[in-house]
Amino acid sequence: MYRMKKTKIVATMSDFRCTEEFVKNLYDAGMDVIRVNSAHVTEEGATHIVETVHRVNPSIPIMIDTKGPEIRVTTLDDACGEAIEFRAGDRVAVRGSDGSMRTTRETIYMNVPGIVGDIPVGARMLIADGELELRVVEKSAEELLCEFATGGSLRSRKSVNVPGVSIDLPSVTEKDRRFIEWAVAHDVDFIAHSFVRSARDIAAVQEILDAHGSPIKIISKIENQEGLDRIDEIIEASYGIMVARGDLGVELPAEMIPNTQRRIVEKCIAAKRPVIIATQMLYSMVRNPRPTRAEVSDVASAIYERVDAVMLSDETAMGDFPVQSVETMARIAREIERDETHFKPMIDMDMVSVNHEITAQLARSAVRASTNLPIKYVVLDTKTGRTGRYLAAFRGRKTVMAVCYRLHAQRILALSYGVVPILRNQEVHDRYHFLVDALEFIDQYRKLRDDDLLAIVGGSFGPDGGASYVEIADVRNIRHRNALIEAANKA
């Protein structure tokens, strides 16, 4: 029922395969959020994706990744062909550039003009996700003299990581700015900002959104050591976090990734922020119809950690088995979530600032009640999505039915653990009328009995007044009260 899983699935979409039939197939398979990677799509292609997705179902949320402030090798000189071969022990000069200088066998240019000044002697430079490794052996004002510790084929525009070194990069590139402004104009719900290093990077994106009066939410992608070093301030400044294990796995030793992931997830849940685990979760399904057992265990581990969402990248963007990948991930989620001995509500955890927020206290009370009583669903109404997000943070066992007054609130709650968002189109008649929508929606899938209990989180002062009470009632009394209110309104 209701897609039968609490953990949400983010699926990456390419414009070349985005048809209405394909989107519908992914959605039916269990996809909850569509992701668009601006590094691999034009504005025209991204517009095609948004328009197609919203024709299929306007409630499907869309997340767009910025490219972020990356360091890359410049384009190879024409005389070098498609690649330059280096062996361990080879030496080469490294210089900064505005991107116009071509890389040769003698000098590797990078797209950051001042990069030489930021990198000390002894630093490691990893190219192409660590396939090639250089060490800085000497330094002058104009260039670094580097030696290859690991050789290989160097190609144009390959990514560069410098673990443990802070490079002076802009928070938002000009291409990022254009795509953020495009997102504002095209009804996008989330900006996933790449290579976030501090709260300053998030503020730079928020400044653009505020200038346009946009409600788009910012998801910070954690991809380097700087982001880890400032994770607390980044979580505080963000709507949510994506643990992007691709670049993070280049900067950190592989054995450190699982514990790093777990700590970030715990911090996000405590701060009531959605958290997404990404990168190569079912990567073998790009070319194979079934995942490896190790991949299944990876997805299962993330779900056991109680993440809000797991993400598919190449598997759905360009893989041979995109729908099967989503179906597989959904099956794993449903199976793992059946383990009720592990999935206990997190009502006693030390959650950030709960004791000073009425909404958080009410959400915790509703989840606690649904643990101690035979409650079928937790039901709420929300204008901004905040109450639904708080309920998700306590990771209750019961499905949360969130009646939303705005389409944007419905979409952003589609990313939250265990929440089924419903859009309310009617005019608000009274403070209880949202329950009619919830009961009608539930009855489409599972007929409620008169003695079924619901936990209701509502507000006595209308949608703008926020949550102010928790009520526990059976379906019979709820329907009776609504009938009396309807009769009084007609009279």
Side-chain angles (χ1 to χ4, degrees):
M1 181 184 177
Y2 315 125
R3 303 162 71 72
M4 295 298 291
K5 59 182 176 58
K6 291 183 171 64
T7 309
K8 305 304 177 71
I9 296 174
V10 181
T12 306
M13 179 69 70
S14 298
D15 56 331
F16 73 87
R17 76 187 325 173
C18 184
T19 64
E20 291 184 29
E21 180 183 12
F22 183 60
V23 173
K24 186 178 186 305
N25 288 341
L26 290 182
Y27 187 73
D28 291 344
M31 171 271 293
D32 298 281
V33 180
I34 286 287
R35 169 182 174 254
V36 182
N37 189 349
S38 71
H40 302 296
V41 69
T42 63
E43 291 182 20
E44 292 76 15
T47 300
H48 167 68
I49 293 173
V50 171
E51 291 175 348
T52 303
V53 169
H54 286 164
R55 280 198 303 272
V56 172
N57 188 336
S59 70
I60 297 175
I62 294 176
M63 175 189 301
I64 185 160
D65 282 31
T66 60
K67 193 168 182 291
E70 293 180 294
I71 307 171
R72 289 188 177 273
V73 173
T74 63
T75 303
L76 300 189
D77 187 81
D78 292 340
C80 297
E82 293 186 358
I84 304 173
E85 296 296 328
F86 289 100
R87 293 181 298 182
D90 286 351
R91 291 197 169 192
V92 66
V94 171
R95 289 181 171 238
S97 165
D98 61 2
S100 62
M101 300 299 292
R102 297 292 187 97
T103 288
T104 66
R105 183 169 187 81
E106 291 72 33
T107 305
I108 297 176
Y109 287 96
M110 296 185 178
N111 66 338
V112 179
I115 193 169
V116 170
D118 292 328
I119 299 178
V121 172
R124 298 163 60 228
M125 305 178 73
L126 305 174
I127 301 177
D129 294 336
E131 290 182 16
L132 297 90
E133 178 179 341
L134 301 95
R135 293 185 184 275
V136 181
V137 294
E138 293 181 23
K139 176 178 178 177
S140 68
E142 295 80 23
E143 68 180 29
L144 306 170
L145 178 61
C146 299
E147 183 176 292
F148 277 90
T150 304
S153 299
L154 177 66
R155 300 179 185 275
S156 296
R157 305 287 301 152
K158 287 300 180 180
S159 63
V160 179
N161 295 79
V162 190
V165 176
S166 178
I167 309 295
D168 184 17
L169 297 170
S171 294
V172 176
T173 67
E174 187 54 40
K175 180 178 180 180
D176 291 340
R177 178 178 293 276
R178 291 198 307 272
F179 256 104
I180 292 167
E181 291 174 345
W182 170 90
V184 171
H186 287 83
D187 203 18
V188 168
D189 304 285
F190 301 102
I191 296 286
H193 192 39
S194 296
F195 299 100
V196 170
R197 297 158 293 170
S198 68
R200 183 191 65 170
D201 293 341
I202 304 157
V205 178
Q206 191 63 56
E207 183 179 348
I208 301 171
L209 297 176
D210 290 346
H212 292 83
S214 172
I216 291 175
K217 303 300 183 184
I218 301 172
I219 306 292
S220 293
K221 295 174 67 177
I222 305 302
E223 305 184 72
N224 53 36
Q225 186 64 52
E226 286 184 86
L228 291 176
D229 292 342
R230 297 182 175 89
I231 189 64
D232 290 332
E233 70 174 65
I234 291 171
I235 290 173
E236 178 65 25
S238 308
Y239 178 80
I241 296 293
M242 181 189 296
V243 184
R245 302 178 304 177
D247 279 274
L248 194 59
V250 175
E251 295 229 346
L252 296 181
E255 65 273 12
M256 291 182 62
I257 297 298
N259 273 337
T260 300
Q261 173 179 309
R262 178 182 54 80
R263 287 196 297 270
I264 294 174
V265 170
E266 289 174 351
K267 286 176 178 289
C268 288
I269 294 173
K272 305 181 293 294
R273 303 294 197 269
V275 57
I276 307 163
I277 301 300
T279 313
Q280 295 184 336
M281 300 212 78
L282 296 177
Y283 190 69
S284 69
M285 291 193 73
V286 171
R287 295 290 175 260
N288 299 294
R290 283 183 291 275
T292 67
R293 285 183 289 276
E295 288 169 337
V296 172
S297 294
D298 182 37
V299 175
S301 294
I303 294 168
Y304 273 123
E305 288 171 7
R306 316 296 288 277
V307 302
D308 287 84
V310 285
M311 193 175 95
L312 296 166
S313 299
D314 289 349
E315 298 94 333
T316 52
M318 45 78 73
D320 294 337
F321 302 96
V323 176
Q324 294 92 325
S325 296
V326 175
E327 290 172 341
T328 298
M329 192 166 264
R331 285 198 305 272
I332 297 168
R334 288 193 296 267
E335 181 61 29
I336 300 303
E337 289 166 3
R338 290 173 56 194
D339 182 6
E340 292 197 356
T341 60
H342 178 83
F343 290 96
K344 296 178 180 178
M346 305 174 80
I347 49 181
D348 296 319
M349 68 182 298
D350 182 20
M351 192 164 284
V352 178
S353 66
V354 163
N355 293 331
H356 305 290
E357 294 185 61
I358 293 173
T359 301
Q361 287 286 2
L362 293 172
R364 176 151 63 185
S365 296
V367 174
R368 190 185 299 278
S370 69
T371 303
N372 297 331
L373 294 169
I375 287 168
K376 296 295 183 181
Y377 301 96
V378 179
V379 182
L380 69 130
D381 67 337
T382 181
K383 190 171 184 178
T384 64
R386 186 178 68 152
T387 305
R389 176 66 227 142
Y390 281 20
L391 279 160
F394 289 106
R395 300 299 196 256
R397 287 177 178 163
K398 304 302 180 183
T399 299
V400 176
M401 310 300 299
V403 179
C404 304
Y405 296 98
R406 293 175 176 170
L407 181 60
H408 179 62
Q410 181 189 25
R411 289 176 181 167
I412 62 173
L413 282 178
L415 186 63
S416 291
Y417 181 92
V419 178
V420 176
I422 311 164
L423 183 64
R424 172 168 232 267
N425 294 313
Q426 305 106 308
E427 180 182 345
V428 179
H429 298 297
D430 57 75
R431 66 180 184 176
Y432 297 113
H433 200 81
F434 71 92
L435 291 170
V436 175
D437 300 281
L439 293 178
E440 288 178 353
F441 185 87
I442 296 170
D443 274 335
Q444 294 177 44
Y445 300 91
R446 177 189 179 277
K447 291 297 180 183
L448 289 166
R449 301 186 315 185
D450 284 347
D451 60 349
D452 282 342
L453 288 178
L454 302 182
I456 303 152
V457 182
S460 299
F461 311 104
D464 292 317
S468 62
Y469 69 84
V470 175
E471 178 182 10
I472 298 171
D474 62 33
V475 171
R476 178 189 297 105
N477 283 326
I478 293 170
R479 285 178 169 150
H480 178 66
R481 179 177 61 194
N482 287 337
L484 292 176
I485 293 172
E486 287 289 336
N489 288 335
K490 290 178 181 177

